[in-house]
């Protein structure tokens, strides 16, 4: 995976297939991200609109390196879509009686940190655990919300405030304008490690913390009906 740029303009790319054994060609997913003012006249909340690469390709025209050619990736796509990266305030409540929310419906987050899907999976596991503990009752849903909502609220606010992994890109831009010979001269490794550890702890990605926890759903547990 590669991430290039900073908060206002960045490019993300990663393979989603193995290279073809004969041609060496792989399917690559890429994202060209441009920041707009909040009051910009732009269609929001539409994830199915085809984009015209000429609207943004010039911004990346000189992003050609010996290890990646950004304009070539953009021009090589069969079709390109544009979508907004939408931020939402954390909800004060998810549960109403026998109905609750989970996943993006409960905690939509600015899409940095690669944890939207993982948080939804945790939601499902915790709902299952609380149903086992409290039975098929509203109390189970209330217990689920009480455990998970504070955590996902912290993740959402961290992503909004630049607390996610992407923040280091803007650090480099602010400190040296992106021009450096050795990244250690711009951001010491200790600072990078501390930032990563903090976000892993907030998002639940810390291997040590995860391994120290008991299973969410005990083996052989059964729901009380």
């Amino acid at each position: 995976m590669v991430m290039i740029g900073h908060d206002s303009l960045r490019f993300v790319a990663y393979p989603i297939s193995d290279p073809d054994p004969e041609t060496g060609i792989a399917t690559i997913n890429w994202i060209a991200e441009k920041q707009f003012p909040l009051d910009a006249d732009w269609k929001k909340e539409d994830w199915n609109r085809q984009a015209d690469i000429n609207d943004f390709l010039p911004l990346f025209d000189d992003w050609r390196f010996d290890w990646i050619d950004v304009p070539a990736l953009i021009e090589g796509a069969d079709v390109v879509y544009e979508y907004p990266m939408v931020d939402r305030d954390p909800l004060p409540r998810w549960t109403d009686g026998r109905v609750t929310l989970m996943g993006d419906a409960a905690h939509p987050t600015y899409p940095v940190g690669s944890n939207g899907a993982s948080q939804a999976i945790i939601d499902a596991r915790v709902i299952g655990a609380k149903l086992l503990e409290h039975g098929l009752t509203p109390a189970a849903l209330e217990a689920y919300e009480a455990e998970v909502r504070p955590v996902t609220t912290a993740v959402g606010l961290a992503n909004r405030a630049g607390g996610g992994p992407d923040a280091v890109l803007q650090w480099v831009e602010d400190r040296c304008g992106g021009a450096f010979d050795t990244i250690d001269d711009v951001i010491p490794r200790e600072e990078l490690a501390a930032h990563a550890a903090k976000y892993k702890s907030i998002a639940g990605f810390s291997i040590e913390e995860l391994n120290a926890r008991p299973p969410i759903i005990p083996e052989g547990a059964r729901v009380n009906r």
Side-chain angles (χ1 to χ4, degrees):
M1 179 178 183
V2 60
M3 301 177 67
I4 317 171
H6 45 79
D7 286 354
S8 299
L9 188 69
R10 79 176 74 185
F11 190 84
V12 180
Y14 50 87
I16 55 176
S17 79
D18 292 327
D20 182 276
E22 295 183 0
T23 65
I25 295 175
T27 301
I28 305 294
N29 188 54
W30 58 261
I31 303 159
E33 181 183 331
K34 173 74 170 70
Q35 190 176 80
F36 290 87
L38 293 176
D39 58 354
D41 183 18
W42 187 69
K43 296 178 181 179
K44 299 178 180 180
E45 301 179 14
D46 182 353
W47 285 265
N48 298 296
R49 184 171 59 252
Q50 188 167 337
D52 182 349
I53 64 171
N54 294 311
D55 291 338
F56 63 90
L57 180 59
L59 298 171
F60 300 93
D61 190 53
D62 61 346
W63 291 33
R64 303 175 189 270
F65 310 97
D66 57 358
W67 45 277
I68 190 172
D69 187 329
V70 172
L73 275 176
I74 295 174
E75 293 174 325
D78 294 331
V79 63
V80 176
Y81 294 94
E82 63 183 36
Y83 63 91
M85 297 174 66
V86 178
D87 190 18
R88 288 288 182 266
D89 289 330
L91 293 174
R93 185 171 180 80
W94 298 349
T95 305
D96 184 4
R98 303 181 70 88
V99 177
T100 195
L101 302 174
M102 64 171 290
D104 284 350
H107 42 80
T109 180
Y110 201 67
V112 298
S114 303
N115 57 28
S118 61
Q119 296 299 332
I121 293 169
I122 294 173
D123 289 354
R125 294 288 290 176
V126 174
I127 288 177
K130 298 309 178 184
L131 290 172
L132 290 169
E133 181 180 352
H134 298 279
L136 301 177
T137 66
L141 303 184
E142 294 283 357
Y144 145 73
E145 178 182 336
E147 179 172 327
V148 177
R149 186 166 60 83
V151 176
T152 56
T153 294
V155 172
L157 293 178
N159 287 353
R160 169 188 288 180
D166 303 17
V168 298
L169 296 175
Q170 190 61 40
W171 292 359
V172 175
E173 181 68 15
D174 292 340
R175 296 179 187 185
C176 66
F180 61 88
D181 293 322
T182 304
I183 190 61
D184 292 351
D185 296 335
V186 182
I187 308 178
R189 290 184 179 272
E190 295 78 8
E191 188 176 1
L192 285 173
H195 178 73
K198 180 179 179 181
Y199 189 75
K200 287 176 182 179
S201 181
I202 293 173
F205 289 170
S206 170
I207 295 175
E208 294 78 11
E209 292 181 21
L210 282 172
N211 287 340
R213 294 176 186 169
I216 295 176
I217 299 179
E219 185 177 353
R222 295 183 179 180
V223 65
N224 297 318
R225 296 181 179 275

